Amino acid sequence: MNVLWRRFLPLAAVGLLLPSCGGAAAGVPASAATASQSEAPRPGGRVIWGTASDAKTLTPVLSTDNVSTYLIDLIYQPLVNINAKTGAPEPGLAEKFELSADGKTMNLVLRDGLKWSDGSAFSGEDFKFTAEAVMRSKKTVRKEVFQDIAGAKEFADGKAAEISGIVVNGRNITVALEKTLCAAPNRIGGFSVIPKSVFGKYMAGSDGSKNVDDAAENNAPPLATGPFKFKDWKPNDHITLVRNDSFYGGRANLDEFVNKVVPDSNALAAALKTGEIDIADAADPKDAEDLKKVDSLASQFYLTPSYTYIGWNQLRGGKEFFQDKAVRQALGYGLNMDAIVDKVYFTLGQKALSPIPSVSWAYDAAGLNDYKYDPKKAQQLLEQAGWSKGSDGIYQKAGQKLSFSIVTNSDNKARSTFAQVAAEQYKQLGIDANLQTESFQALVDRINNSKDPKYGDQGGRNFDAVILGWTGGADPDSEFAIWHSSQIPQPKFNAIGYKSDIVDKALEDGRSGKCDQASRKAAYRAFSKQVNEDQPYNFGLFIKTPLFYSKRLQGIDPGPFPSRDPGVQWNVEKWWVN
């Protein structure tokens, strides 16, 4: 948030999807060219990646934020990768994979000789254990990835000693599903695998109370299958990874990969200028033009499936007006998103009408309302719904004012400005909206785990409205985790308590109906049309990633689809320092 989502894997992510880019990504300025293409990579050195917040965990079982996810993806590998340029699934730890015609059976064949970083053998039992660890977790948001595997729910409930639907026979793995899962290679195959040899001691067969949630190794993983392995973590300062010489893709050129925590976007820009950090993809849009002038930096700008939104909490005590579609639509008409894209994000964005981005094969804008800025239309909708202005100029109904707070993370200046502009425009309309900020980690905890005093037992969270972001991938099935009504209970991702029978059916059709692309596209067209009409979010904008990095750093070749999150790291083992 920026849960950000790697493998909603639908990766599609959030399955989510786009146009392939050759070499430099679309929109890349000439300044992106750095070293001679004929120069051979040099081994050694380290790269320092700057982020405005620290990771929360280093296990895929519990990750909910983008910093955790991208570091996890450097440590643990999935059976199936996503091609960063095309979004298509391709071999990872598994050299072959196949989904049956009915979408109910997936067969995978592991690469020969796979090893963990200590030289011990990797096996299909590690994959099976990972699925079981997720299903037994009390804190995970990832159960929907594995829940359709035969026997997964029985295992989760302590009624079975294993997930019966995963059968390992040497290098061969068979996954039997209770119903069709069209995106199984991306979603199930795309989940990063943890070692049974390390975490198995926390589980105990049919004992449903045992899980890996509090394992010390969640924050200090001793083994790795990725290009790097864990070395140390100084909270709110840095995490250091070192090269994993057992990586199946070949030894990385870099000796170390360091994630450096920088306080906010202003400090991030300063650290890029001084060389304190080597690379960052979180520069504030207002800093982009200035950073492009720095001789020591190269830059690339590319559209990804990431979008920034305002979510209206429909399970918020005292703010039940968010349950009224007319109010939510009025909030859409009452906000000048075109101006926000232009003035707050400096045109580094594209107005979003639904969660499906223009880069996705599932994108279809036909019939979508663009909610062009129209204050009169907004007021008309409110008044038709029974709201009228009081003596203070604020709309009220039955003694209740149309008043709420918009919370966002304080370390993201663009989001804070977005929230401030939105609050000001709503006040001009007669809506009492107020800005509230807190740290990203505190906000993610609030969105995922807090309970509204009135609706907490139904999944309601403790906030009015929120500005955050999602990152999608290559298959739109990941939308299921955000929008299906089954995903409302904490700590799942439908944090605004949105329910729609039409949306539920569309997501189910896209996931478990006919798996041909035409049928699935029709399902996601129905999904997009309904959420566009219902406006559970103001869908805000899709954002071009502003990537800045030292010209000494070679091999950078970003793709829009996050095989590793973010997509720029898909070939990190090939990076080198000139």
Side-chain angles (χ1 to χ4, degrees), residues 391-409:
S391 58
D392 58 359
I394 302 300
Y395 277 104
Q396 54 186 346
K397 180 180 179 180
Q400 181 184 34
K401 288 188 176 183
L402 192 48
S403 174
F404 56 86
S405 63
I406 304 174
V407 62
T408 192
N409 51 306

Side-chain angles (χ1 to χ4, degrees), residues 365-402:
L368 300 185
N369 186 346
D370 67 357
Y371 291 90
K372 200 72 174 177
Y373 183 52
D374 189 342
K376 291 183 178 179
K377 176 71 171 177
Q379 291 177 326
Q380 180 183 35
L381 283 168
L382 291 175
E383 289 164 9
Q384 288 175 348
W387 294 85
S388 59
K389 287 188 177 181
S391 58
D392 58 359
I394 302 300
Y395 277 104
Q396 54 186 346
K397 180 180 179 180
Q400 181 184 34
K401 288 188 176 183
L402 192 48

Side-chain angles (χ1 to χ4, degrees), residues 25 125 187 205 217 289 316 384 398 421 517 546 552 557:
E125 294 297 336
R187 294 189 59 67
E217 295 89 346
E289 288 302 315
R316 178 61 160 164
Q384 288 175 348
V421 171
Q517 192 170 98
R552 298 184 305 107
D557 185 23

Side-chain angles (χ1 to χ4, degrees), residues 437-479:
T437 63
E438 56 188 62
S439 73
F440 178 72
Q441 290 189 348
L443 182 55
V444 170
D445 284 340
R446 180 203 289 251
I447 301 304
N448 289 337
N449 302 312
S450 68
K451 285 194 173 186
D452 178 76
K454 183 174 181 180
Y455 296 104
D457 291 342
Q458 300 175 40
R461 320 294 169 87
N462 185 26
F463 68 92
D464 297 348
V466 62
I467 292 181
L468 272 175
W470 289 110
T471 294
D475 187 283
D477 178 65
S478 53
E479 298 295 350

Side-chain angles (χ1 to χ4, degrees), residues 485-499:
S485 62
S486 66
Q487 302 303 300
I488 292 175
Q490 291 97 334
K492 298 178 182 179
F493 284 128
N494 188 345
I496 60 167
Y498 172 67
K499 295 181 180 180

Side-chain angles (χ1 to χ4, degrees), residues 67-109:
V67 178
S68 296
T69 299
Y70 97 71
L71 289 168
I72 290 165
D73 288 348
L74 297 178
I75 298 169
Y76 295 125
Q77 291 287 284
L79 301 188
V80 178
N81 278 327
I82 300 302
N83 187 288
K85 302 294 185 175
T86 68
E90 62 183 19
L93 294 173
E95 64 179 12
K96 298 178 183 178
F97 57 90
E98 181 181 41
L99 185 65
S100 62
D102 63 2
K104 292 184 177 180
T105 304
M106 182 169 60
N107 294 305
L108 308 101
V109 180

